[in-house]
Amino acid sequence: MKKIEVKKAGLGNMDFGMFALTITLLCIGLVMVASASSYHALYYYGDSNYLFIRQLVFGVIGTVAMIIISKIDYRKYKRWSYIGFALAAILLLLVLTPLGRTANGAKRWLGFGILRFQPSEI
């Protein structure tokens, strides 16, 4: 009896259940952002969908990045792990410098022009 191989449609070795769950959570989050921020966005930005569109763009960028990164064999990350750890530690220390930004009474953000992010997320 021959074994029949079934090829997945362009997803390679990606776990389809995990991918579907991630997309579902992204969509739920988009609905939450749209419903919770439409008045705020209309008042401050003049467009009730401004924050929704912004979140959608970041969601699409993140999904594309997720697909690209999932194509790379995770064992290849091992040689870069020490560099990644050192970079994350340096970014955490940079919060204590003038590059660090305070939001809601806590200094935990880094700011480079219009780009702001939390190094602890890395």
Side-chain angles (χ1 to χ4, degrees), residues 1-7:
M1 190 168 186
K2 290 186 175 183
K3 184 177 179 182
I4 300 173
E5 289 187 36
V6 178
K7 287 191 172 186

Side-chain angles (χ1 to χ4, degrees), residues 51-111:
L51 295 173
F52 169 75
I53 298 296
R54 185 175 169 193
Q55 189 72 17
L56 178 64
V57 167
F58 284 122
V60 169
I61 291 169
T63 302
V64 170
M66 175 186 68
I67 291 170
I68 291 170
I69 291 171
S70 72
K71 299 287 185 184
I72 302 170
D73 183 15
Y74 71 92
R75 290 177 286 259
K76 292 184 180 180
Y77 294 132
K78 187 175 181 179
R79 66 178 140 169
W80 297 100
S81 63
Y82 295 110
I83 294 171
F85 178 76
L87 179 65
I90 290 168
L91 288 173
L92 285 169
L93 290 173
L94 282 176
V95 171
L96 302 174
T97 69
L99 291 174
R101 302 285 182 240
T102 302
N104 298 327
K107 191 172 184 178
R108 56 182 157 213
W109 294 81
L110 278 180

Side-chain angles (χ1 to χ4, degrees), residues 27-40:
C27 291
I28 291 170
L30 287 170
V31 169
M32 297 293 180
V33 167
S35 66
S37 66
S38 61
Y39 176 76
H40 177 82

